[in-house]
């Protein structure tokens, strides 16, 4: 579920809305806040003077029943210092507004935040970023919970006032919000329900919803055997639930235009296999399919925007379990690409399912660019934490475009090296390559492993292990890297 967005143009004191949302700088009021202040006889200015509301970035205050103001509630949103108000601060303020709105018993609200000046950002960007930040904050997981009290209204509609012409921004916000919600709902779903078959069924809902432009093919175990996908099959071998290789194709571009390709890691639960993860490391491994959820969400966004390009989305989905029939450390696997792999650790399973999916995608579709997303390494979480996804690419143009798309969408990535010097860490005495590279530079050696299976194709890898979900009991899937990928595709289709 996403919020329903629309554009408004009313005055902040007169708009007929259950809740008006306006910004306040540390130094003074935004234009919309000044309108409400004037209509209400100076209430907001007095709250500033008394230090009840200082305008600190990320702070909010809900006011009720202001005389002279049509809306029964006003949410003040702190914007921080005027001189430091940039795109990141704007997104943060919009997110804080969303958190305040989530707690209120209102079905609709109207935000004047997109009217604010944000250096380097136009009205389309401001509308989109505000809509997405508030929508993100208002996300609710529902799949396995009792229905909430229908008597209490929940925010469902959001009106955005931008003060100037906006067309694209709203459409993009709708499509990206759907992609993000898709990824978050699938990511959050428990692993007894979110099996590879369920992931394939979700891909089918995308295809069925856009039958005019999207086709779906699901390869089964027998197909994978025929294609020689020994690595993907090995990871699946310990699980009672069958593996799926999901292939979605969208045709929005010229019939002869090479497609873009997205590939995502879809491990629906990662126990580590024979190299079983210890307590404390396994609990959140239902999120190990967030790369898959992210590329499916980005695919959905692109399709909903009807982007004029061709796009394929390939998802290998398996469960990594220990079992008498499971694969072991020291097994040598024969991949679809013909490269042999020595398994040194069955917990390095993501690269094993991806290598077969990547070489298959390169061979079958010859994409003009391929990006994969995967919750691939704990090492990437250590390196970059939750603020940036790890980006790896030998193609400087592609890397630059992805970094810029991440910056513009507030879904940032940071580049790490793919230098050949690290390659010797993957050497094996028993196969062409080993599946782990030792303790140091774990995110780099994982990416280097993948690079062997995309040679000749412009390729980038996003390690989203630190960004795809918020850890902890009350954490959720974040929907990343949907905004980054959707923005990259928007830009590629405009180019
Ligand atoms: N899914 C994990 C990576 C992961 C760990 C993501 C923690 C998010 C948080 C992956 O399959 C894995 O187990 N990787 C190992 C690789 C190692 C065995 C070389 C890791 O990172 O420890
Ligand atoms: Mn693992
Ligand atoms: Zn994993």
């Amino acid at each position: 579920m996403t919020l329903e967005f629309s554009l408004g143009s009313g005055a902040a004191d007169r708009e007929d809305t259950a809740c008006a949302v306006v910004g306040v700088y540390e130094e003074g009021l935004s234009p919309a806040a000044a309108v409400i202040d004037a209509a209400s006889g100076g209430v907001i200015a007095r709250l500033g003077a008394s230090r009840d509301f200082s305008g600190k970035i990320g702070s909010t205050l809900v006011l009720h029943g202001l005389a002279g103001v049509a809306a029964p509630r006003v949410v003040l949103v702190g914007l921080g210092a005027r001189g430091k108000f940039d795109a990141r601060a704007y997104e943060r303020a919009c997110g804080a507004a969303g958190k305040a709105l989530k707690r209120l018993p209102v079905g609709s609200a109207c935000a004047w935040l997109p009217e604010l000046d944000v250096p380097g950002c136009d009205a389309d960007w401001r509308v989109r970023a505000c809509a997405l930040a508030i929508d993100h904050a208002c996300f609710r997981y529902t799949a396995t919970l009792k229905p909430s009290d229908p008597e209490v209204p929940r925010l469902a509609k959001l009106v955005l006032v931008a003060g100037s012409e906006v067309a694209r921004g709203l459409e993009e916000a709708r499509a990206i919000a759907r992609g993000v919600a898709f990824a978050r709902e699938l990511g959050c779903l428990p692993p007894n329900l979110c099996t590879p078959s369920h992931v394939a069924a979700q891909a089918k809902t995308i295809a069925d919803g856009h039958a005019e432009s999207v086709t779906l093919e699901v390869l089964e175990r027998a197909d994978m055997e025929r294609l020689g996908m020994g690595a993907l099959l090995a990871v699946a071998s310990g699980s009672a639930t069958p593996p799926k290789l999901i292939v979605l194709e969208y045709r929005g571009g010229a019939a002869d235009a090479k497609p873009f390709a997205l590939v995502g890691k879809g491990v629906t639960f990662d126990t580590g296999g024979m190299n079983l993860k210890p307590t404390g490391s396994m609990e959140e491994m239902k999120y190990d399919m967030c790369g898959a959820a992210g590329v499916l969400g980005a695919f959905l966004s692109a399709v909903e925007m009807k982007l004029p390009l061709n796009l394929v989305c390939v998802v290998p989905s398996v469960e990594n379990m220990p079992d008498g029939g499971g694969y072991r450390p020291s097994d040598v696997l024969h991949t679809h690409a013909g490269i042999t792999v020595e398994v040194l650790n069955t917990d390095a399973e993501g690269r094993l399912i991806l290598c077969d999916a990547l070489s298959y995608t390169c061979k079958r579709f010859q994409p003009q660019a391929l990006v994969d997303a995967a919750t691939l390494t704990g090492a990437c979480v250590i390196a970059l934490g939750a603020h940036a996804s790890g980006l790896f690419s030998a193609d400087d143009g592609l890397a630059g475009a992805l970094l810029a798309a991440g910056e513009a969408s507030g879904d940032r990535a940071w580049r790490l090296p793919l230098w050949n010097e690290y390659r010797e860490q993957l050497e094996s005495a028993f196969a062409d390559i080993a599946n782990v590279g030792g303790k140091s530079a774990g995110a780099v050696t994982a990416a280097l492993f993948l690079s062997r299976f995309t040679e000749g194709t412009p390729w980038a890898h996003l390690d989203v292990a630190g960004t795809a979900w918020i850890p902890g009991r009350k954490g959720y899937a974040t929907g990343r890297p949907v905004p980054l990928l959707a923005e990259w595709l928007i830009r590629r289709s405009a180019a």
Side-chain angles (χ1 to χ4, degrees):
M1 272 284 278
T2 62
L3 299 178
E4 198 185 309
F5 308 128
S6 59
L7 292 173
S9 58
D13 60 336
R14 298 268 49 93
E15 181 79 0
D16 176 25
T17 176
C19 187
V21 182
V22 298
V24 177
Y25 297 100
E26 283 171 3
E27 298 86 351
L29 308 185
S30 67
V35 166
I36 289 186
D37 188 59
S40 64
V43 169
I44 305 178
R46 281 199 295 281
L47 287 169
S50 67
R51 301 182 190 272
D52 281 276
F53 192 73
S54 63
K56 185 168 177 278
I57 181 83
S59 65
T60 55
L61 182 67
V62 184
L63 306 175
H64 294 266
L66 292 188
V69 177
R73 296 171 198 79
V74 174
V75 174
L76 302 182
V77 184
L79 305 175
R82 224 183 256 272
K84 289 192 189 149
F85 194 65
D86 59 5
R88 296 289 91 79
Y90 177 78
E91 286 163 345
R92 191 164 159 209
C94 292
K99 275 193 193 151
L101 288 171
K102 186 180 185 181
R103 280 187 239 111
L104 291 176
V106 297
S108 62
C110 182
W112 277 263
L113 300 174
E115 268 188 352
L116 299 168
D117 246 336
V118 185
C121 301
D122 63 13
D124 279 290
W125 184 90
R126 299 192 310 262
V127 163
R128 185 179 117 176
C130 182
L132 289 173
I134 293 179
D135 185 69
H136 202 275
C138 292
F139 173 78
R140 281 178 206 275
Y141 172 82
T142 57
T144 51
L145 297 176
K146 293 194 186 67
S148 64
D149 183 351
E151 300 292 303
V152 182
R154 299 280 200 212
L155 192 70
K157 292 182 181 179
L158 179 64
V159 182
L160 300 133
V161 182
S164 52
E165 274 302 298
V166 171
R168 247 183 45 238
L170 199 68
E171 284 305 317
E172 291 176 1
R174 285 183 185 128
I176 296 170
R178 291 217 178 102
V180 166
F182 176 95
R184 299 185 82 182
E185 281 160 17
L186 195 57
C188 287
L189 201 64
N192 56 328
L193 304 176
C194 183
T195 58
S197 305
H198 180 81
V199 178
Q202 287 306 109
K204 186 166 188 307
T205 66
I206 295 177
D208 290 349
H210 300 88
E212 67 298 337
S213 59
V214 176
T215 55
L216 169 72
E217 200 180 325
V218 179
L219 307 192
E220 306 291 340
R221 197 193 302 268
D223 301 310
M224 298 171 209
E225 279 164 3
R226 189 173 41 78
L227 288 161
M229 296 179 166
L232 175 50
L233 286 164
V235 178
S237 62
S239 174
T241 185
K244 304 282 170 179
L245 183 60
I246 300 158
V247 183
L248 282 165
E249 282 181 74
Y250 162 68
R251 303 205 142 272
D256 59 349
K258 281 187 177 180
F260 293 90
L262 302 174
V263 174
K265 171 179 174 182
V267 174
T268 59
F269 195 74
D270 181 12
T271 64
M274 297 303 174
N275 295 100
L276 197 65
K277 287 182 185 288
T279 300
S281 297
M282 200 192 295
E283 286 73 2
E284 299 193 338
M285 283 298 131
K286 70 169 182 180
Y287 292 117
D288 213 18
M289 35 58 68
C290 282
V295 298
L296 289 167
F299 181 89
L300 174 61
S301 299
V303 171
E304 299 231 318
M305 285 185 278
K306 299 192 167 64
L307 294 183
L309 47 72
N310 297 328
L311 180 64
V312 302
C313 182
V314 177
V315 167
S317 188
V318 301
E319 189 184 41
N320 188 23
M321 298 289 269
D323 179 78
Y327 76 133
R328 348 159 168 61
S330 73
D331 279 358
V332 172
L333 312 177
H334 196 277
T335 64
H336 173 67
I339 298 169
T340 56
V341 178
E342 183 186 12
V343 177
L344 291 177
N345 191 320
T346 60
D347 198 10
E349 84 298 339
R351 62 198 78 180
L352 295 175
I353 68 167
L354 286 169
C355 73
D356 279 340
L358 288 170
S359 59
Y360 176 76
T361 305
C362 291
K363 199 161 147 192
R364 174 162 170 196
F365 296 106
Q366 286 149 12
Q368 50 176 303
L370 189 171
V371 182
D372 79 73
T375 49
L376 203 62
T377 65
C380 193
V381 190
I382 301 293
L384 297 173
H387 299 295
S389 303
L391 171 69
F392 301 83
S393 183
D395 185 317
D396 291 340
L398 180 56
L402 290 164
L403 289 173
E407 207 60 52
S409 61
D411 179 7
R412 292 193 285 181
W414 193 257
R415 195 169 177 189
L416 293 169
L418 259 187
W419 298 326
N420 285 328
E421 282 78 358
Y422 293 97
R423 281 198 184 214
E424 63 187 50
Q425 288 181 241
L426 290 172
E427 283 171 7
S428 162
F430 300 96
D432 295 327
I433 184 172
N435 82 326
V436 295
K439 239 182 153 52
S440 62
V444 176
T445 52
L448 268 175
F449 180 94
L450 299 181
S451 75
R452 292 285 301 267
F453 298 85
T454 59
E455 278 167 16
T457 301
W459 162 78
H461 160 60
L462 286 168
D463 193 330
V464 295
T467 54
W469 78 90
I470 297 166
R473 280 237 211 153
K474 298 226 162 156
Y476 285 137
T478 59
R480 295 174 72 177
V482 171
L484 182 160
L485 292 173
E487 177 64 23
W488 175 64
L489 291 168
I490 290 169
R491 290 172 173 215
R492 289 305 299 249
S493 68

